[in-house]
């Protein structure tokens, strides 16, 4: 049973009193590194801030950073990094090294509290090192005035125990991709183009979202008045095909929306919110192909992705949609998406 979260008696602590705050050395960049198996962390709202995996051989190398750290980017996105990693410096990603022997539960708890402050760091108000050092968060406190790490650990344990899981997939099960199969995008999706060609077609309001070539905020560009002639139906995959820095990103959209003409929209009768999240992760693995000006517009239909598959009697394969759904549901809070 989850513990009741009553914060009235909690005390305020500055990040700099809990962590040493630093930046990575060097100027390691995603496009200038050889691929490997060590995460490279940058700014971002997805994938724990990881933009690629590298072996550390880069044009401008950096020092590998031991795990058990928290990374906080300039927008307030905070992630726990359990294993060793590399980190960009040009992206102003702050590295928080605990002053106490913290567990993963403690760090994940603090990440959640930092993310609650994200609203303060938008519209040009970036979170640099000085800001993160002075940032104040409230924590449960012992009688001596120290953070109550034992309480935090118990609370996080209760969260994991209460998270629903599939009976078919265990918490620590690894995904075996041996029998996965490649599928071309136009084999599994009906692909359309967003209908909004000019900004003048939109009227600002609060009735429906407009989605475009924006990698942050689930591709939401603005909130608009409904325009029935421009609406695309929800339960769709959104693929950013052109634009600065966003090409190759994807999102799942559950509700009707307006889409700009620089996104592609994928529909499938098998798609739902769980399958959508699975596909976002898979498609993200293809993103590195669309750098250096290589737009995705003409390539999306013929792009191939590897998915869990079922071999049919005729020797052909079909995607294992049920596996994808069950896998996402098996993750902590997967049933709460």
């Amino acid at each position: 049973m989850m513990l009741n979260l009553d914060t009235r008696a909690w005390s305020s602590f500055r990040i700099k009193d809990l962590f040493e705050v630093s930046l990575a050395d060097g100027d390691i960049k995603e496009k200038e590194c050889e691929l490997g198996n060590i995460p490279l962390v940058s700014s971002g709202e997805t994938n724990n801030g990881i933009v690629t995996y590298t072996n550390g051989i880069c044009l401008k190398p950096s020092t590998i950073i031991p795990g058990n750290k928290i990374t906080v980017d300039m927008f307030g996105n905070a992630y726990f990094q359990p294993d060793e990693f590399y980190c960009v410096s040009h992206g102003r990603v702050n590295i928080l090294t605990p002053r106490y022997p913290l567990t993963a539960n403690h760090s994940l708890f603090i990440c959640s509290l930092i993310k609650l402050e994200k609203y303060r760091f938008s519209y040009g108000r970036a979170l640099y090192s000085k800001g993160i050092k002075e940032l104040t968060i409230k924590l449960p406190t012992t009688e001596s005035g120290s953070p109550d790490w034992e309480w935090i650990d118990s609370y996080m344990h209760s969260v994991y125990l209460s998270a629903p899981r599939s009976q078919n997939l265990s918490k620590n099960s690894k995904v075996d991709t041996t029998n996965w199969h490649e599928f071309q995008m136009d084999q599994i999706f009906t692909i359309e183009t967003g209908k909004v060609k000019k900004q003048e077609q939109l009227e600002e309001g609060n009735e429906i979202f407009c989605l475009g070539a924006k990698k942050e905020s689930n591709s939401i560009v603005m909130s608009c008045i409904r325009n029935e002639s421009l609406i695309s139906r929800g339960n769709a995959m959104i693929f950013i095909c052109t634009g600065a820095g966003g090409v190759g990103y994807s999102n799942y959209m559950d509700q009707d929306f307006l889409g700009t003409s620089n996104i592609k929209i994928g529909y499938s009768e098998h798609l739902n919110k769980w399958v959508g999240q699975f596909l976002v992760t898979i498609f993200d693995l293809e993103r590195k192909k669309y750098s250096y000006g290589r737009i995705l517009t003409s390539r999306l239909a013929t792009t191939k992705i590897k998915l869990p598959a079922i071999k049919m009697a005729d020797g052909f394969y079909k995607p294992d949609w049920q596996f994808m759904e069950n896998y996402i549901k098996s993750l902590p809070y997967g049933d709460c998406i």
Side-chain angles (χ1 to χ4, degrees):
M1 180 176 180
M2 187 170 302
L3 298 174
N4 184 34
L5 196 59
D6 183 356
T7 65
R8 289 175 294 180
W10 290 17
S11 299
S12 296
F13 296 88
R14 292 177 301 181
I15 290 296
K16 70 179 182 181
D17 295 327
L18 303 172
F19 298 89
E20 294 181 8
V21 179
S22 61
L23 298 173
D25 60 8
D27 192 22
I28 189 170
K29 293 182 173 68
E30 174 187 359
K31 297 177 182 179
E32 299 175 351
C33 294
E34 292 185 7
L35 296 179
N37 57 7
I38 301 173
L40 173 60
V41 177
S42 183
S43 298
E45 294 186 331
T46 60
N47 200 33
N48 228 44
I50 298 170
V51 290
T52 191
Y53 290 82
T54 178
N55 59 9
I57 300 176
C58 306
L59 184 62
K60 297 178 181 178
S62 182
T63 304
I64 196 167
I65 301 165
N68 195 33
K69 302 283 195 298
I70 291 175
T71 54
V72 185
D73 69 21
M74 67 178 75
F75 309 109
N77 298 303
Y79 301 108
F80 173 59
Q81 307 296 340
D83 304 312
E84 61 183 13
F85 63 99
Y86 289 100
C87 189
V88 304
S89 58
H90 61 276
R92 312 306 292 179
V93 178
N94 297 285
I95 303 164
L96 276 54
T97 301
R99 297 185 185 276
Y100 304 86
L102 302 187
T103 67
N105 281 345
H106 300 148
S107 294
L108 290 168
F109 187 87
I110 289 174
C111 285
S112 298
L113 297 179
I114 295 175
K115 288 179 181 178
L116 292 176
E117 305 298 320
K118 281 184 60 175
Y119 72 94
R120 298 166 53 185
F121 307 106
S122 57
Y123 305 103
R125 297 185 62 199
L127 180 59
Y128 296 122
S129 295
K130 183 177 179 181
I132 187 63
K133 288 179 181 178
E134 298 298 330
L135 184 67
T136 299
I137 58 175
K138 295 189 73 174
L139 295 173
T141 315
T142 64
E143 292 183 359
S144 65
S146 301
D148 193 342
W149 302 115
E150 184 176 351
W151 186 96
I152 293 172
D153 202 48
S154 297
Y155 174 78
M156 293 298 289
H157 184 63
S158 76
V159 170
Y160 294 138
L161 289 178
S162 65
R165 304 186 186 279
S166 164
Q167 294 181 351
N168 299 320
L169 292 170
S170 68
K171 173 183 175 181
N172 297 313
S173 61
K174 293 185 178 181
V175 179
D176 182 3
T177 63
T178 305
N179 296 318
W180 287 27
H181 189 74
E182 280 193 337
F183 296 92
Q184 195 163 288
M185 293 292 285
D186 59 5
Q187 290 180 297
I188 56 178
F189 291 111
T190 299
I191 300 175
E192 301 179 1
T193 302
K195 302 174 184 178
V196 179
K197 296 182 179 180
K198 296 181 179 180
Q199 184 79 15
E200 291 75 16
Q201 293 177 278
L202 304 176
E203 183 178 356
E204 191 171 349
N206 58 3
E207 296 179 355
I208 194 168
F209 290 123
C210 176
L211 276 57
K214 181 180 179 182
K215 62 183 180 181
E216 298 90 6
S217 304
N218 286 342
S219 301
I220 296 172
V221 176
M222 61 183 295
S223 183
C224 308
I225 299 296
R226 290 181 69 90
N227 184 330
E228 297 299 331
S229 66
L230 300 176
I231 288 178
S232 296
R233 59 186 173 86
N235 192 34
M237 294 295 299
I238 310 301
F239 304 104
I240 300 178
C241 297
T242 63
V247 177
Y249 281 87
S250 65
N251 286 295
Y252 169 78
M253 187 62 174
D254 61 340
Q255 56 189 278
D256 292 351
F257 61 95
L258 309 180
T260 62
S261 57
N262 50 6
I263 65 171
K264 293 289 186 180
I265 305 162
Y267 293 105
S268 169
E269 62 178 311
H270 305 285
L271 194 60
N272 58 40
K273 57 187 178 181
W274 298 287
V275 172
Q277 293 303 317
F278 188 98
L279 292 173
V280 165
T281 302
I282 297 300
F283 197 75
D284 189 58
L285 298 175
E286 304 297 317
R287 182 162 48 84
K288 61 180 179 293
K289 297 180 180 179
Y290 305 103
S291 304
Y292 307 102
R294 297 185 65 204
I295 63 174
L296 185 54
T297 307
S298 60
R299 298 183 176 94
L300 180 65
T302 56
T303 293
K304 293 181 179 181
I305 58 174
K306 202 171 184 182
L307 294 174
I310 299 173
K311 189 173 184 179
M312 309 299 290
D314 57 8
F316 289 94
Y317 290 83
K318 69 175 184 179
D320 191 344
W321 304 107
Q322 193 61 56
F323 175 90
M324 300 180 212
E325 179 174 337
N326 288 347
Y327 180 78
I328 295 298
K329 286 182 176 179
S330 77
L331 301 176
Y333 293 103
D335 279 351
C336 301
I337 292 176

